[in-house]
Amino acid sequence: MSSTYGTLFKISTFGESHGAAIGVIIDGCPAGLEVDTQFIQSELDRRKPGQSRITTQRREKDEFQVLSGIFEGKTEGTPISLVIWNEDQRSKDYSHISQQFRPSHADYTYQQKYGVRDYRGGGRSSARETAARVAAGALAKLLLKQQGVQIQAYVSQVGKLKLETPYQQLDISKAEENAVRCPDPELAQQMFDYIDETRKQGDSIGGIVSCVVTGTPVGWGEPVFDKLHAELGKAMLSINAVKGFEYGSGFAGVELHGSEHNDEFYIEPGDETGRVRTRTNHSGGIQGGISNGEDIYFRVAFKPVATIMQDQDSVDVDGNPVVVSGKGRHDPCVVPRAVPIVEAMTALVLADFYLRNKVAKV
């Protein structure tokens, strides 16, 4: 089972939903980086459960502990190990599905692939694993901050409720002012009410997280198989419940002619740096798999959470028909807590390409 991501800035996550702990080992982070532990904790707080009534009510502080690689507030250039201890497991909530396969979960595929599975909250397939990614992503954000790169994600859709306003016209920072993490306060309240009503019905709903990256310099990414957008897509699709990824004009771009879609180049009058810009940005800041200096923007689609509080038909490990009853504590909609996860995976991709680009220029 591969639990490692990255080429130079590498992470390996470990742990299960109801095990003793989850954590991450970060290898390749340059020495001398000042580590803001309060910032790392604040990122984990954005993802942790129990934030409001529209998220899982599992109570985890998600406080992290540094085991290695950081000394006197700075990275040492050696492997960094961070651990988050699990404190609020209720494994008995899952005993009824120890021999059953939950619809649209990883139960069946894990059982068939490995011959064994941890049924307590999904074990390794649980989204709880993403807390380790957020911790590592926070460190990557600190590294990228030195390069002037900023990453901001927000909820742009829940069910059929869509935020139509282009990101350039939004104050994305307002997303952190409400439980849904949508920067439009009025729409955010509608989304909240819709998710809450869905929860009361014992059901779930999907949504979309949009992400904008500013300050990325020209040249990050590789021209063939490791294209920047390909790695971003891989990173996003590795997140639990993700069903789709599009960057730039995405699928809507097929409706345009080339004369409409092409991003014409120009140099701003009076710009002494001679920086090449594009008048439009249908490319989403990436051309030929390499960043072009414009904003990188993309959208990530999340399915409705598979666990619902309703009875569903399924089969058990012996192939007998059974009725699976929903129990446990789960998000009726994953996107509010997915925002920091999308940001973290984006940061990990960009931190890796930042280091790879430095090596390529040596």
Side-chain angles (χ1 to χ4, degrees):
M1 181 186 293
S2 175
S3 296
T4 299
Y5 179 78
T7 301
L8 295 182
F9 194 101
K10 289 185 178 182
I11 70 164
S12 296
T13 66
F14 61 87
E16 295 82 36
S17 177
H18 286 235
I22 54 175
V24 61
I25 297 172
I26 306 156
D27 198 9
C29 185
L33 175 66
E34 291 191 10
V35 179
D36 184 345
T37 55
Q38 290 185 340
F39 172 71
I40 296 175
Q41 187 59 59
S42 70
E43 291 292 275
L44 285 168
D45 289 346
R46 294 172 67 208
R47 195 222 69 97
K48 73 179 182 181
Q51 295 181 40
S52 72
R53 67 173 183 267
I54 63 168
T55 65
T56 171
Q57 294 305 297
R58 180 169 174 170
R59 297 294 177 180
E60 295 284 358
K61 296 179 181 178
D62 279 357
E63 294 177 349
F64 76 98
Q65 180 181 355
V66 178
L67 299 184
S68 67
I70 299 174
F71 180 67
E72 295 184 341
K74 293 185 178 181
T75 56
E76 298 182 275
T78 57
I80 299 166
S81 181
L82 308 177
V83 66
I84 302 165
W85 301 101
N86 291 329
E87 298 178 335
D88 188 27
Q89 308 96 314
R90 293 184 185 174
S91 300
K92 67 179 186 301
D93 287 348
Y94 300 92
S95 58
H96 69 293
I97 53 99
S98 63
Q99 302 298 309
Q100 299 177 347
F101 299 133
R102 295 170 296 173
S104 289
H105 272 277
D107 299 344
Y108 173 72
T109 50
Y110 267 56
Q111 184 75 40
Q112 294 303 106
K113 181 175 178 65
Y114 300 106
V116 63
R117 66 182 171 92
D118 183 348
Y119 59 84
R120 302 168 304 167
R124 186 70 178 149
S125 68
S126 169
R128 176 124 186 88
E129 178 267 343
T130 59
R133 306 189 197 194
V134 170
L139 197 67
K141 278 188 174 183
L142 293 173
L143 180 63
L144 293 168
K145 185 179 180 180
Q146 295 182 336
Q147 310 306 313
V149 177
Q150 184 178 16
I151 303 166
Q152 289 185 295
Y154 59 95
V155 172
S156 56
Q157 184 170 342
V158 170
K160 294 182 180 180
L161 297 172
K162 300 179 182 180
L163 178 59
E164 304 284 3
T165 309
Y167 77 85
Q168 298 92 335
Q169 300 174 24
L170 294 170
D171 181 355
I172 301 177
S173 64
K174 289 186 177 295
E176 293 300 314
E177 297 178 2
N178 58 76
V180 181
R181 292 199 166 90
C182 173
D184 182 319
E186 184 176 339
L187 182 59
Q189 186 59 54
Q190 295 177 37
M191 290 175 169
F192 184 96
D193 293 342
Y194 183 50
I195 296 171
D196 196 31
E197 183 59 33
T198 300
R199 176 188 64 83
K200 292 176 182 177
Q201 294 172 0
D203 216 334
S204 64
I205 190 67
I208 291 176
V209 173
S210 295
C211 187
V212 180
V213 184
T214 57
T216 307
V218 181
W220 291 8
E222 300 296 331
V224 186
F225 295 113
D226 288 357
K227 289 179 168 64
L228 177 52
H229 58 271
E231 284 300 307
L232 284 170
K234 176 182 178 181
M236 296 308 128
L237 289 164
S238 76
I239 301 172
N240 308 60
V242 169
K243 302 296 286 186
F245 168 83
E246 65 173 7
Y247 76 102
S249 61
F251 288 100
V254 305
E255 300 176 7
L256 302 178
H257 290 97
S259 56
E260 300 171 293
H261 192 271
N262 287 346
D263 298 319
E264 295 183 346
F265 292 111
Y266 76 103
I267 295 178
E268 199 78 49
D271 186 349
E272 296 179 358
T273 66
R275 177 189 169 190
V276 175
R277 301 291 307 276
T278 61
R279 296 191 185 280
T280 53
N281 189 18
H282 298 300
S283 300
I286 304 169
Q287 293 173 326
I290 300 169
S291 60
N292 67 1
E294 300 296 330
D295 293 350
I296 296 170
Y297 65 97
F298 57 87
R299 304 199 311 159
V300 187
F302 288 80
K303 71 174 183 178
V305 176
T307 298
I308 59 176
M309 298 300 107
Q310 298 179 12
D311 290 347
Q312 299 177 89
D313 293 334
S314 187
V315 297
D316 62 19
V317 294
D318 297 316
N320 301 311
V322 295
V323 175
V324 177
S325 299
K327 294 182 180 180
R329 298 162 293 176
H330 304 275
D331 296 81
C333 180
V334 74
V335 289
R337 292 175 60 218
V339 166
I341 303 170
V342 167
E343 291 182 1
M345 292 307 299
T346 304
L348 291 169
V349 170
L350 294 176
D352 194 37
F353 275 123
Y354 159 61
L355 295 179
R356 294 171 69 172
N357 202 52
K358 285 184 64 176
V359 171
K361 290 184 176 181
V362 174

